């Protein structure tokens, strides 16, 4: 019996999630879903514009892959800036939404259109470390983008045995 070979690749993963989504959905499900849909249109467009692809979603989260760390960081930056501008233009608090983003470059397992493995898991852990409206990068992504972008970075140092050195940067 022939075993099927596992397909792997190295890629850049962007993981994003809405801050306080469960509370928002409990308070006003209809408005939260409308706001999420508007924000998803923003991120989906930016992911495509930066040569990425959404490979998984679950409720309020999006997982995307990019062939370039620089493009992933530029996409994340533009998304956070656009959401911040959108929030500033809304008077109704229920129409505002904040996101956290984590970006990692790592080895993943390819299964049809989906990706699995440590590369994805680390991006998700980094997302959880990000401040609301912020972006948290793995050390390997930071090393690639730090000299190719004009962003200011802040080193968070080691974040535990299950997450590599994390460098978080904020938009200025």
């Amino acid at each position: 019996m022939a075993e099927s070979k596992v397909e792997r690749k190295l890629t850049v993963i962007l993981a994003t999630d809405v801050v306080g989504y469960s509370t928002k959905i409990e308070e006003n499900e209809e408005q939260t879903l409308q706001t999420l849909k508007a924000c998803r249109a923003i991120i989906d467009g930016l992911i495509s514009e930066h040569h990425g692809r959404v490979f998984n979603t679950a409720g309020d989260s999006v997982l995307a892959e990019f062939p370039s760390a620089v493009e992933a960081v530029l996409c994340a930056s533009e998304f956070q800036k656009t959401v911040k501008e959108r929030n500033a233009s809304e008077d109704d608090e229920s129409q505002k939404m904040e996101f956290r983003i984590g970006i990692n470059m790592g080895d993943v397992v390819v299964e049809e259109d989906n990706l699995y493995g440590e590369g994805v898991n680390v991006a998700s852990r980094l997302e959880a470390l990000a401040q609301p409206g912020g972006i948290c990068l793995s050390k390997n992504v930071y090393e690639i983008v730090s000299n190719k972008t004009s962003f200011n970075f802040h080193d968070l140092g080691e974040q535990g045995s299950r997450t590599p050195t994390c460098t978080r940067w904020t938009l200025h």
Side-chain angles (χ1 to χ4, degrees), residues 13 27 54 83-85 105 133 140 168:
I13 304 295
E27 290 173 354
V54 173
V83 167
K84 185 177 181 180
E85 290 169 356
M105 182 175 67
N140 60 8
R168 179 186 72 210

Side-chain angles (χ1 to χ4, degrees), residues 8 26 32 74 114 153:
R8 296 179 171 277
E26 287 173 13
T32 300
L74 291 173
N114 209 347
F153 297 91

Side-chain angles (χ1 to χ4, degrees), residues 45-153:
L46 287 169
I47 289 169
S48 178
E49 184 180 315
H50 287 278
H51 314 291
R53 135 186 120 82
V54 173
F55 66 87
N56 200 330
T57 63
D60 62 319
S61 66
V62 173
L63 293 170
E65 74 165 324
F66 292 82
S68 161
V70 172
E71 289 294 335
V73 171
L74 291 173
C75 176
S77 170
E78 289 178 36
F79 175 64
Q80 293 292 39
K81 180 182 175 195
T82 303
V83 167
K84 185 177 181 180
E85 290 169 356
R86 182 189 178 284
N87 287 343
S89 72
E90 295 291 343
D91 293 329
D92 184 354
E93 286 297 316
S94 71
Q95 295 184 20
K96 297 179 182 184
M97 197 165 268
E98 287 186 301
F99 292 79
R100 290 183 176 95
I101 297 177
I103 303 174
N104 179 50
M105 182 175 67
D107 192 60
V108 297
V109 174
V110 179
E111 187 176 282
E112 296 179 13
D113 288 338
N114 209 347
L115 304 175
Y116 300 96
E118 185 179 2
V120 177
N121 296 344
V122 170
S124 293
R125 289 186 201 115
L126 293 171
E127 173 270 313
L129 292 172
Q131 296 293 318
I135 302 164
C136 191
L137 309 177
S138 62
K139 184 178 180 181
N140 60 8
V141 171
Y142 166 77
E143 289 171 348
I144 292 169
V145 303
S146 64
N147 293 326
K148 294 180 175 110
T149 64
S150 60
F151 299 116
N152 294 320
F153 297 91

Side-chain angles (χ1 to χ4, degrees), residues 7-52:
E7 181 183 350
R8 296 179 171 277
K9 69 179 179 178
L10 185 65
T11 193
V12 180
I13 304 295
L14 179 150
T16 186
D17 197 52
V18 176
V19 176
Y21 183 76
S22 297
T23 302
K24 285 183 161 298
I25 206 85
E26 287 173 13
E27 290 173 354
N28 189 337
E29 182 178 64
E30 186 177 332
Q31 181 59 58
T32 300
L33 292 173
Q34 285 180 338
T35 302
L36 179 61
K37 188 175 183 178
C39 291
R40 274 296 309 272
I42 294 167
I43 196 162
D44 288 353
L46 287 169
I47 289 169
S48 178
E49 184 180 315
H50 287 278
H51 314 291

Side-chain angles (χ1 to χ4, degrees), residues 1-6:
M1 197 174 241
E3 288 184 37
S4 62
K5 186 175 179 184
V6 174

